Amino acid sequence: MTFDQTRELSATRVAVLGAGSWGTTFAKVLADAATASGVERDIRLWGRRGEVVDQINLKHRNEQYLKEISLPPSITASTEVVEVLDGAELVVLAVPAQTLRPQLRQWKHLLAPGALVVSLMKGLELHSDARMSEVISEELGIPANRIAVVSGPNLAMEIAREEPTASVVACSDPIAAGWIARSCTAPYFRPYTTGDVVGVEIGGIVKNIIALAVGICEGKQMGDNTKASVITRGLAETSRLSLALGGEAQTMAGLAGLGDLVATCSSPLSRNHTAGRLLGKGLTLDEVAAEMTQTAEGIKSAQAVQELAGKLGVDMPITAAVVAVLAGKLSVDQLGPLLLSRDLKPEGDY
């Protein structure tokens, strides 16, 4: 048994670093889970912007990201990370993937001994091709069994509205995974557990790129057959990469694979789907960035995923086509024929 059994029920002091839509929503999930289980929980949310922090503290809202959603009073916010991390048993990271490493270097000395760290991030680090759990382990110097990943169909606004959803908590230590799952089991949020951290992270990373492709197809007014084909073959290339890294095939058929992919590729609430649709309508990357208020991680991670696939000899034609569009080497008008460009072969051949 590798996890401290004295923390049998759930976390009572939680730090959430990142006051965007998903970080704020997950803080609400943790608060509502505590209320449902009769646990007193202190949830502190770190945000960069003073106006967002003040709004959370004074109005119990984060209107930029969650509009009309009321936040539980057990959530407080601060721009001072030292206040947020003080004594936290559970530390939840919800910052942009490409900023994680330098931020962790600043925060490392503030973590409480024995704290569990949860990643909500769905990105691959540029240049190192590292998954977020790997970056966390490297920078904080903590073992894999103290790092977990939460993923699945996680459209923040729907969850904030308390529309029922299921997700996955992945950790190499099943006891830690169960403890985290109990901490975030709310009436509308049902977590399952798995030990397949690699598969869960890869599913969350690559689905953003596939959602960009589907969004581009929608922006070009392509039909549902096209989008369904891209989603299905996108799942196949996600599976190829996951298996090459040691992930489990069954993960791709579950919430962190198929579930997350379908939600992200289909919903107008998806940042990556929205970014792809705008690209498909002819906007430039700069215009897309100006139009959106949040980061579309697929834009940032696509090149890293292609590099990783190349190192492993994994064929990912949809990812390659999206990277070419993002790099300006391919127009969105040329994208369609390349999305399904693999050599003819049986469908089951990965």
Side-chain angles (χ1 to χ4, degrees):
M1 222 167 263
T2 58
F3 186 65
D4 182 359
Q5 289 181 281
T6 63
R7 293 184 281 179
E8 179 57 33
L9 293 175
S10 64
T12 57
R13 183 168 292 182
V14 181
V16 180
L17 303 182
S21 58
W22 187 209
T24 306
T25 295
F26 198 72
K28 181 181 185 300
V29 169
L30 290 162
D32 291 341
T35 299
S37 59
V39 174
E40 288 190 15
R41 179 171 292 157
D42 175 15
I43 301 167
R44 304 170 189 173
L45 187 60
W46 172 79
R48 292 183 300 105
R49 297 169 52 194
E51 61 270 28
V52 171
V53 165
D54 289 343
Q55 191 177 82
I56 292 170
N57 289 331
L58 298 174
K59 297 183 178 180
H60 303 295
R61 291 180 184 271
N62 186 341
E63 292 176 354
Q64 178 175 355
Y65 296 111
L66 297 181
K67 297 181 180 178
E68 75 283 357
I69 301 299
S70 295
L71 301 175
S74 58
I75 299 173
T76 59
S78 175
T79 57
E80 299 295 329
V81 73
V82 63
E83 296 177 8
V84 172
L85 284 173
D86 184 32
E89 304 164 273
L90 184 64
V91 176
V92 180
L93 297 170
V95 300
Q98 306 309 324
T99 71
L100 177 64
R101 191 180 293 275
Q103 288 179 306
L104 289 180
R105 289 174 181 169
Q106 297 174 16
W107 299 339
K108 177 179 179 179
H109 68 287
L110 300 173
L111 257 71
L116 288 184
V117 179
V118 173
S119 169
L120 302 184
M121 299 163 292
K122 299 179 179 180
L124 198 67
E125 188 179 48
L126 292 170
H127 309 304
S128 73
D129 302 335
R131 293 176 283 110
M132 295 297 98
S133 65
E134 294 176 314
V135 175
I136 293 166
S137 182
E138 290 169 12
E139 292 300 328
L140 297 183
I142 60 177
N145 61 15
R146 281 177 52 199
I147 302 168
V149 176
V150 172
S151 193
N154 298 146
L155 297 167
M157 182 55 78
E158 290 188 2
I159 297 172
R161 290 174 184 151
E162 302 185 11
E163 297 175 14
T165 192
S167 284
V168 176
V169 176
C171 183
S172 61
D173 183 345
I175 299 173
W179 184 80
I180 293 166
R182 287 191 294 276
S183 296
C184 64
T185 299
Y188 54 88
F189 191 83
R190 201 299 192 186
Y192 291 81
T193 60
T194 179
D196 184 16
V197 176
V198 171
V200 168
E201 284 193 290
I202 293 300
I205 293 163
V206 182
K207 59 94 184 184
N208 286 332
I209 303 166
I210 307 306
L212 285 170
V214 172
I216 290 171
C217 291
E218 188 166 306
K220 295 298 297 179
Q221 298 186 323
M222 297 180 187
D224 290 334
N225 284 338
T226 303
K227 290 182 283 187
S229 298
V230 173
I231 290 171
T232 306
R233 295 313 304 167
L235 181 62
E237 65 181 62
T238 306
S239 300
R240 287 196 294 273
L241 183 61
S242 176
L243 292 171
L245 289 166
E248 300 171 9
Q250 65 183 22
T251 300
M252 292 299 101
L255 291 163
L258 179 62
D260 200 8
L261 180 67
V262 169
T264 307
C265 289
S266 305
S267 175
L269 295 174
S270 161
R271 288 171 280 179
N272 292 279
H273 177 273
T274 299
R277 180 172 50 79
L278 294 173
L279 288 169
K281 288 184 174 181
L283 275 68
T284 66
L285 274 177
D286 287 342
E287 289 169 337
V288 170
E291 185 89 6
M292 299 178 65
T293 59
Q294 299 184 73
T295 301
E297 288 287 6
I299 293 175
K300 302 288 187 179
S301 297
Q303 181 63 47
V305 170
Q306 186 182 37
E307 289 174 0
L308 180 59
K311 292 174 185 176
L312 296 170
V314 176
D315 187 22
M316 301 186 71
I318 297 175
T319 297
V322 170
V323 169
V325 168
L326 296 176
K329 297 177 181 178
L330 188 75
S331 74
V332 291
D333 294 322
Q334 297 170 301
L335 179 69
L338 292 180
L339 291 177
L340 308 175
S341 63
R342 296 185 86 208
D343 293 340
L344 294 179
K345 59 180 65 182
E347 183 184 23
D349 287 359
Y350 283 101

